[in-house]
Amino acid sequence: MACVLEAPLRMSVLSEVTASSRHYVDRLFDLDPQKVLQGVIDMKNAVIGNNKQKANLIVLGAVPRLLYLLQQETSSTELRTECAVVLGSLAMGTENNVKSLLDCHIIPALLQGLLSPDLKFIEACLRCLRTIFISPVTPEDLLYAGPDHQTILFNHGAVQNIAHLLVSTSYKVRMQALKCFSVLAFENPQVSMTLVNVLVDGELLPQIFVKMLQRDKPIEMQLTSAKCLTSMCRAGAIRTDDSCIVLKTLPCLVRMCSKERLLEERVEGAETLAYLIETDVELQRIASITDHLIVMLADYFKYPSSVSAITDIKRLDHDLKHAHELRQAAFKLYASLGANDEDIRKKIIETENMMDRIVNGLSESSIKVRLAAVRCLHSLSRSVQQLRTSFQDHAVWKPLMKVLQNAPNEILVVASSTLCNLLLEFSPSKEPILESGAIELLCSLTQSENLALRVNGIWALMNMAFQAEQKIKSDILRGLSTEQLFQLLSDSDVNVLMKTLGLLRNLLSTRPHIDHIMSTHGKQIMQAVTLILEGEHNIEVKEQTLCILANIADGTTAKELIMTNDDILQKIKYYMSHSNAKLQLAAMFCISNLIWNEEEGSQERQDKLRDMGIVDILHKLSQSSDPNLCDKAKTALQQYLA
């Protein structure tokens, strides 16, 4: 019988708790404003430190009523303030509480409250907003998050109004001002350029930031100052070789990566340093030899190394849950360090178990770790030496192909860029990648709405087609389809167009391949070539197209597709006399291949081209001041004389 009674007993207990909370909500609807105020004050006292009571009041519908009272102009300032305090208290409960508050559109109501002339009410609204935005369930874009919002704050005098707070006697105020600047300046050249020239008590802001990142300052202050200077440097407001970056900011961030620092400090230090050095070769070199950074980062993967090192059980539990953030930060920093220098890449790869760690990172449950691991792999894949050795030894292509099967676009873009490198002709991974169904995957990427994925898909196919056997080339053309090829050739992005032309050029190389492909796809390819030569395209696009024609002209049977197409011949003639030497040279390659003496039918082709006036143009070009044009024209004329 006890089992039968258990559920009803629980229900009755819940009913009692809810019933005991109901009178708090009922009082919010009283017609007497004074009783409503007292009801809100009593509610405030009831919820302090009582999560169960908070949950009950939310279930009973207290939040919409509190927000209504907070927004009513007829409500007294005291009532509105008390409502904001209670809402702030409810937000301090569980994450579900915060979700409930967000669902009731609390943020616009609190932001509106900031327009009040009453400081106490403003403070209560700000405290509540702060509590809500500290919660991980609150979307960041609900408040100032993007460049537009930074600009709004900047235009409303945020820099001038916050600057003097950096010299406040209160540490808390100084820190908040510093944090404001680190957010305002992030990826914002306009703000960064202004900060460089701001004076506070006769001292420039960068000098104040440098003082704040000295070793005797609190770690939080050092890190945030380093972030400000990093943002200003990346925005071009401070030179990368400035002593405040090389001798102050960079060493400070490397210090933050040591195992003596807390997990959050190590994560923030590594990620900020990765951002600082991301695009500067010299800073990458300096960082790589500062305090054995490359070896130091290896510790990020062994955290926590021993339980005894952390005596605080709560801290240990927290760190175990967040250890993946360390791995993410390490991968990011390794990616920046190895972005350009071959020696640094070698050092990274020789760090203990590095390739295994990357391979493991590619299959981690955290999307952020997977993305950082792929970025790291991409950075290292720029090394010819490593593609031939470490990448092959660890069969990196296998987990990479797995990542490409099902991943968000952000990861797909970096993973497909890495695949482009693994498909270069000298990479031993090229063959097994082909065998694992890469053509189908890459052809599907070329149809993506995401521009970067289209570029990478076609780029990888271009690399795959380079010096490939005929079967692979046929598979690529079959996988792409003529319709898709035309789609890519009419893409509005010049990168897609150039890579597609590069693919065609690689497909149409070596005579048997040229003849075979032109026998099956000749009509469509000639159509595409005509389309581009007639279109409004830049010099590089036209040059690449003429080079494709030169390749077709090198075929044994394929060249007839040019010779029987008077429209194309006239276009080649036109480009021989073009004002741009590159286009003239490319057009002459076509002519040379068509009139080459040792090939069958050369006499008829020479005669037809002479009748078109090609020989006259060659004579003119043989007098050119451009040595390349001159030599090419003379060589072509010799074919007529032979």
Side-chain angles (χ1 to χ4, degrees):
M1 290 298 288
C3 291
V4 178
L5 285 169
E6 192 176 1
L9 271 172
R10 278 185 178 171
M11 282 293 290
S12 65
V13 170
L14 186 62
S15 312
E16 280 173 33
V17 174
T18 312
S20 70
S21 306
R22 184 170 291 283
H23 75 281
Y24 288 114
V25 180
D26 291 343
R27 289 166 71 189
L28 299 180
F29 292 88
D30 201 292
L31 295 174
D32 182 347
Q34 213 41 47
K35 286 183 180 175
V36 174
L37 175 61
Q38 193 53 50
V40 175
I41 292 169
D42 290 346
M43 187 183 281
K44 175 180 73 175
N45 295 330
V47 296
I48 292 171
N50 189 335
N51 274 350
K52 189 177 277 186
Q53 187 69 281
K54 289 175 187 178
N56 280 333
L57 290 170
I58 289 171
V59 169
L60 290 167
V63 175
R65 185 61 183 171
L66 287 167
L67 283 172
Y68 173 79
L69 295 169
L70 180 135
Q71 292 176 89
Q72 285 305 298
E73 286 182 18
T74 51
S75 297
S76 68
T77 305
E78 190 181 358
L79 174 58
R80 296 171 79 192
T81 305
E82 291 294 347
C83 286
V85 172
V86 174
L87 288 165
S89 189
L90 294 176
M92 282 181 178
T94 64
E95 288 182 359
N96 282 334
N97 289 12
V98 177
K99 282 180 187 169
S100 300
L101 293 171
L102 291 171
D103 290 342
C104 292
H105 307 292
I106 189 172
I107 288 171
L110 292 171
L111 289 174
Q112 195 63 32
L114 301 182
L115 299 173
S116 164
D118 188 87
L119 282 176
K120 276 195 171 179
F121 178 50
I122 289 173
E123 189 181 337
C125 289
L126 283 170
R127 284 182 186 279
C128 187
L129 278 168
R130 183 176 181 272
T131 305
I132 290 167
F133 275 100
I134 284 170
S135 170
V137 299
T138 307
E140 288 174 11
D141 58 3
L142 287 174
L143 202 58
Y144 296 117
D148 293 347
H149 297 138
Q150 289 172 318
T151 306
I152 291 166
L153 288 169
F154 174 76
N155 290 341
H156 282 78
V159 171
Q160 290 73 16
N161 285 312
I162 296 167
H164 72 278
L165 299 176
L166 287 169
V167 291
S168 165
T169 52
S170 161
Y171 170 75
K172 275 189 174 181
V173 172
R174 290 202 305 279
M175 254 331 292
Q176 293 310 319
L178 196 53
K179 283 179 180 175
C180 267
F181 280 132
S182 84
V183 173
L184 271 174
F186 182 66
E187 292 187 342
N188 194 315
Q190 184 188 18
V191 174
S192 294
M193 291 294 185
T194 305
L195 292 184
V196 172
N197 300 310
V198 171
L199 278 169
V200 182
D201 284 3
E203 210 169 6
L204 286 167
L205 264 192
Q207 294 168 332
I208 292 173
F209 292 151
V210 167
K211 281 183 180 176
M212 286 176 151
L213 53 73
Q214 287 171 353
R215 287 171 186 261
D216 61 341
K217 295 289 185 286
I219 295 297
E220 180 189 30
M221 184 173 271
Q222 290 185 46
L223 246 177
T224 315
S225 304
K227 283 173 82 172
C228 291
L229 289 161
T230 294
S231 291
M232 291 163 77
C233 179
R234 282 300 305 265
I238 300 175
R239 288 167 56 100
T240 54
D241 59 358
D242 191 297
S243 63
C244 78
I245 298 296
V246 178
L247 302 178
K248 301 290 182 183
T249 310
L250 188 147
C252 169
L253 291 169
V254 173
R255 282 201 305 276
M256 297 301 145
C257 298
S258 77
K259 55 180 162 189
E260 281 71 49
R261 301 267 57 87
L262 291 174
L263 179 141
E264 304 88 275
E265 293 159 1
R266 294 171 78 187
V267 168
E268 207 169 346
E271 291 193 339
T272 308
L273 183 55
Y275 180 55
L276 174 66
I277 68 173
E278 189 178 18
T279 57
D280 192 271
V281 187
E282 198 47 43
L283 287 180
Q284 288 159 12
R285 288 183 183 138
I286 294 166
S288 73
I289 54 168
T290 304
D291 292 351
H292 308 289
L293 177 63
I294 291 174
V295 178
M296 195 196 299
L297 282 178
D299 287 332
Y300 277 47
F301 297 95
K302 311 171 193 169
Y303 191 83
S305 50
S306 67
V307 177
S308 59
I310 304 175
T311 50
D312 181 346
I313 296 299
K314 269 192 176 176
R315 167 48 72 176
L316 178 63
D317 182 54
H318 167 273
D319 284 6
L320 286 169
K321 284 177 185 164
H322 294 268
H324 67 277
E325 292 175 21
L326 276 175
R327 296 193 291 278
Q328 174 197 336
F331 282 137
K332 274 188 184 175
L333 185 43
Y334 275 138
S336 285
L337 283 164
N340 294 288
D341 190 285
E342 190 68 17
D343 290 336
I344 297 175
R345 289 187 197 123
K346 191 169 183 291
K347 280 183 194 168
I348 292 170
I349 285 174
E350 285 171 357
T351 306
E352 53 175 323
N353 307 324
M354 191 60 212
M355 292 308 288
D356 290 332
R357 283 174 181 146
I358 294 174
V359 168
N360 292 338
L362 293 174
S363 56
E364 280 214 27
S365 57
S366 161
I367 283 186
K368 288 183 175 179
V369 177
R370 290 209 304 277
L371 177 59
V374 173
R375 281 204 174 124
C376 183
L377 190 66
H378 180 237
S379 182
L380 299 173
S381 73
R382 295 185 181 125
S383 162
V384 175
Q385 182 59 35
Q386 301 311 329
L387 282 174
R388 285 180 168 152
T389 53
S390 306
F391 276 55
Q392 186 61 12
D393 296 343
H394 291 80
V396 166
W397 63 271
K398 283 184 184 174
L400 186 66
M401 286 297 288
K402 200 174 173 187
V403 166
L404 281 160
Q405 302 301 329
N406 183 22
N409 278 0
E410 200 180 4
I411 290 180
L412 273 180
V413 169
V414 191
S416 53
S417 286
T418 311
L419 193 64
C420 288
N421 292 343
L422 292 182
L423 286 168
L424 290 165
E425 83 279 6
F426 51 73
S427 166
S429 307
K430 187 172 180 177
E431 208 167 305
I433 291 172
L434 278 165
E435 289 164 6
S436 69
I439 292 176
E440 191 183 342
L441 174 84
L442 294 169
C443 288
S444 69
L445 287 185
T446 68
Q447 297 175 27
S448 171
E449 286 182 18
N450 182 295
L451 172 60
L453 287 178
R454 286 206 305 283
V455 171
N456 288 347
I458 203 72
W459 195 341
L461 288 170
M462 182 184 91
N463 287 350
M464 191 184 275
F466 184 76
Q467 294 182 352
E469 54 194 64
Q470 190 171 297
K471 183 189 178 302
I472 292 167
K473 292 182 177 181
S474 299
D475 287 347
I476 291 172
L477 275 169
R478 201 177 303 115
L480 263 186
S481 81
T482 312
E483 191 186 341
Q484 179 58 11
L485 196 62
F486 271 101
Q487 195 75 37
L488 291 164
L489 288 170
S490 55
D491 199 286
S492 58
D493 184 80
V494 73
N495 278 326
V496 174
L497 179 53
M498 282 297 283
K499 294 293 180 284
T500 309
L501 291 171
L503 167 64
L504 271 177
R505 197 172 165 183
N506 285 349
L507 291 169
L508 295 165
S509 61
T510 73
R511 279 186 186 169
H513 296 182
I514 295 167
D515 290 332
H516 174 76
I517 288 168
M518 292 307 288
S519 70
T520 54
H521 294 79
K523 188 182 168 190
Q524 295 93 329
I525 289 171
M526 293 304 283
Q527 253 181 298
V529 165
T530 309
L531 201 72
I532 290 164
L533 290 178
E534 285 177 351
E536 293 291 320
H537 295 292
N538 64 31
I539 298 295
E540 284 71 26
V541 168
K542 298 266 174 107
E543 182 191 15
Q544 188 81 293
T545 310
L546 287 167
C547 288
I548 289 169
L549 271 181
N551 283 13
I552 296 168
D554 193 37
T556 305
T557 55
K559 54 167 56 83
E560 285 311 307
L561 287 161
I562 296 177
M563 290 306 299
T564 54
N565 189 327
D566 288 343
D567 185 24
I568 285 285
L569 287 173
Q570 287 298 335
K571 283 180 171 55
I572 294 171
K573 179 184 174 183
Y574 165 76
Y575 284 109
M576 283 177 76
S577 304
H578 199 275
S579 57
N580 185 281
K582 282 183 177 179
L583 296 182
Q584 288 179 284
L585 204 56
M588 272 210 294
F589 271 110
C590 298
I591 295 298
S592 293
N593 286 344
L594 290 171
I595 62 174
W596 206 252
N597 251 327
E598 296 159 17
E599 291 165 15
E600 196 181 327
S602 62
Q603 191 59 54
E604 290 88 341
R605 289 192 293 276
Q606 285 182 8
D607 291 346
K608 180 170 182 176
L609 293 172
R610 180 190 280 112
D611 293 345
M612 280 179 62
I614 295 294
V615 175
D616 296 339
I617 299 173
L618 287 173
H619 277 298
K620 201 186 283 182
L621 289 171
S622 67
Q623 309 300 315
S624 169
S625 57
D626 184 308
N628 288 331
L629 282 175
C630 179
D631 290 350
K632 198 72 189 163
K634 285 176 180 174
T635 306
L637 284 169
Q638 281 169 5
Q639 298 304 308
Y640 275 94
L641 299 171

